[in-house]
Amino acid sequence: MLGLFTKKANSLLGIDISSTSVKLLELSRSGSRYRVEAYAVEPLPPNAVVEKNIADMEGVGQALGRVVAKARSGTKAAAVAVAGSAVITKTIEMDASLSDDELENQLRIEADQYIPYPLEEVALDFEVQGVSPRNPERAEVLLAACRRENVEVREAALALAGLNAKVVDVEAYALERAYGLLSPQLAGGHDELTVAVVDIGATMTTLSVLHNGRTIYTREQLFGGRQLTEEIQRRYGLSVEEAGLAKKQGGLPDDYDSEVLQPFREAVVQQVSRSLQFFFAAGQFNDVDYILLAGGTASIPGLDRLIQQKIGTQTLVANPFADMALSNRVNAGALASDAPALMIACGLAMRSFD
Ligand SMILES: Nc1ncnc2c1ncn2[C@@H]1O[C@H](COP(=O)(O)OP(=O)(O)OP(=O)(O)O)[C@@H](O)[C@H]1O
Ligand SMILES: [Mg+2]
């Protein structure tokens, strides 16, 4: 087995900076099989990240320093993401005969037609999607732009922890990449499926609908596990930290399940149902084949079953590591419990193999 999973020299740490924690994941690959080389999660100070914006760079930098120390990986190159809501994308047509360099130059000249910000404040990226269906001499190009400061603040926070942001991606693309690992587990195969990925974090619930592996819809709601934490605090007189631990490790009084957790599960069902109604109302779909639960709150036992029963759609908890090998440095139990919250970190770590 030795040397089977060789870390490429250009291996990247997937770093997800979310509102409550920083998450680090490193993968290696042998053929089509992945192995988790390193992983760690560290909490962020309150309000260090507010609505996907880094408000306290020092606090984020320090948490990144701790997560790097905890993961004990020697890799310094990283892939991070900006939120999809911070990015403007447009599909445009360009001359198909242009080389990548020529295309980039041309795009820099023309981009001000498509981007509503001064170009010197904008970070641009593009990807050729293929030949235009209307004109074989034109290529369809996906143009993505976000404010440069969004990228720079992430680079700077990583630098505080000695990391180098080699790749700056978009969260939705990272999610799609990680979803690619899960779709073979879903009956019906990759191509025909319409799947709702519901990421329930601490403050935010994001519905992403993927069709043929591509995101066709996203919607955010202000709802998450914090509501449960606050209810535990209020009812049992605990601090935020104590309540957060109790959620994961148990040890709460007997009435917790019936009086606190079950009403919260019902509230989650309501949120998921409402988000899906918005999706159905917006377009040509009136059904999804699966619901995949992601985010830390997806780890609440029995949530998948209740959603499936109430909404009538087969519901699974996302585990991007189901088919992966684990380095013996990785705590398998902790990884299994954190797995649904690591979809974005996983999609970012997969950038190592582009
Ligand atoms: N095993 C568990 N059981 C119940 N809740 C859990 C468990 N693990 C994590 N959580 C909860 O999940 C939430 C954190 O999830 P996640 O890491 O996905 O959030 P986030 O991405 O930082 O937040 P947001 O998406 O709102 O910005 C917290 O409310 C935490 O208490
Ligand atoms: Mg999140």
Side-chain angles (χ1 to χ4, degrees):
M1 291 294 279
L2 209 65
L4 180 61
F5 289 90
T6 41
K7 278 207 232 172
K8 288 208 306 184
N10 55 351
S11 169
L12 294 171
L13 301 175
I15 303 274
D16 177 12
I17 303 171
S18 69
S19 72
T20 59
S21 64
V22 291
K23 305 173 178 99
L24 177 154
L25 184 75
E26 184 177 23
L27 300 174
S28 63
R29 190 170 71 174
S30 164
S32 62
R33 187 118 202 262
Y34 292 91
R35 181 166 77 182
V36 180
E37 293 292 343
Y39 117 91
V41 178
E42 272 291 305
L44 280 170
N47 302 318
V49 175
V50 180
E51 293 182 1
K52 314 263 181 181
N53 289 313
I54 295 179
D56 167 12
M57 175 127 72
E58 283 288 314
V60 174
Q62 283 166 11
L64 283 167
R66 290 195 302 275
V67 91
V68 166
K70 207 167 153 185
R72 288 181 295 137
S73 162
T75 305
K76 295 294 174 208
V80 286
V82 296
S85 51
V87 178
I88 295 173
T89 59
K90 285 239 158 72
T91 303
I92 58 177
E93 290 192 357
M94 305 285 283
D95 187 341
S97 66
L98 295 177
S99 71
D100 265 14
D101 280 350
E102 290 167 336
L103 195 63
E104 180 160 0
N105 286 332
Q106 194 65 30
L107 275 172
R108 294 208 176 277
I109 296 165
E110 292 183 17
D112 60 346
Q113 300 170 33
Y114 312 108
I115 310 298
Y117 305 128
L119 276 192
E120 61 275 14
E121 293 175 17
V122 163
L124 273 185
D125 201 0
F126 69 91
E127 192 180 271
V128 179
Q129 308 284 288
V131 176
S132 160
R134 284 169 297 278
N135 182 348
E137 287 172 6
R138 307 286 281 172
E140 282 198 335
V141 179
L142 178 69
L143 182 65
C146 99
R147 295 187 84 98
R148 200 178 281 281
E149 64 187 37
N150 261 317
V151 173
E152 285 168 353
V153 71
R154 279 166 178 74
E155 289 170 343
L158 259 64
L160 289 177
L163 297 177
N164 175 11
K166 275 267 167 64
V167 169
V168 180
D169 205 335
V170 180
E171 285 184 358
Y173 300 161
L175 182 71
E176 274 181 15
R177 217 170 289 117
Y179 170 81
L181 298 170
L182 306 178
S183 56
Q185 300 162 24
L186 307 177
H190 191 208
D191 276 0
E192 306 301 321
L193 291 176
T194 306
V195 175
V197 180
V198 186
D199 179 313
I200 314 167
T203 56
M204 199 81 97
T205 294
T206 308
L207 166 66
S208 309
V209 182
L210 290 93
H211 183 69
N212 296 348
R214 288 283 170 183
T215 310
I216 56 166
Y217 180 89
T218 60
R219 184 166 195 278
E220 292 179 342
Q221 305 239 111
L222 273 176
F223 174 83
R226 179 180 289 175
Q227 256 146 285
L228 176 59
T229 308
E230 284 170 356
E231 183 57 20
I232 294 171
Q233 285 179 256
R234 202 185 58 76
R235 200 170 176 103
Y236 303 113
L238 299 178
S239 69
V240 182
E241 292 78 17
E242 291 166 335
L245 270 183
K247 272 166 92 170
K248 287 184 141 190
Q249 299 174 354
L252 288 166
D254 282 348
D255 67 355
Y256 170 63
D257 200 90
S258 62
E259 297 297 314
V260 181
L261 192 53
Q262 188 58 17
F264 180 77
R265 288 193 190 98
E266 305 272 355
V268 173
V269 174
Q270 289 285 321
Q271 292 291 333
V272 174
S273 172
R274 187 177 308 163
S275 293
L276 284 171
Q277 290 311 320
F278 274 103
F279 164 62
F280 297 145
Q284 70 271 51
F285 291 85
N286 50 24
D287 200 8
V288 294
D289 298 304
Y290 286 92
I291 296 171
L292 287 180
L293 299 181
T297 301
S299 293
I300 290 177
L303 202 51
D304 48 347
R305 234 178 313 119
L306 190 68
I307 290 173
Q308 174 162 326
Q309 179 198 328
K310 291 275 168 81
I311 297 181
T313 299
Q314 196 168 344
T315 303
L316 301 166
V317 177
N319 177 7
F321 312 116
D323 291 331
M324 291 192 192
L326 302 189
S327 153
N328 50 24
R329 287 187 305 164
V330 170
N331 177 336
L335 183 71
S337 151
D338 286 334
L342 290 169
M343 287 285 281
I344 289 177
C346 181
L348 290 171
M350 289 169 79
R351 288 295 298 262
S352 298
F353 316 109
D354 278 358

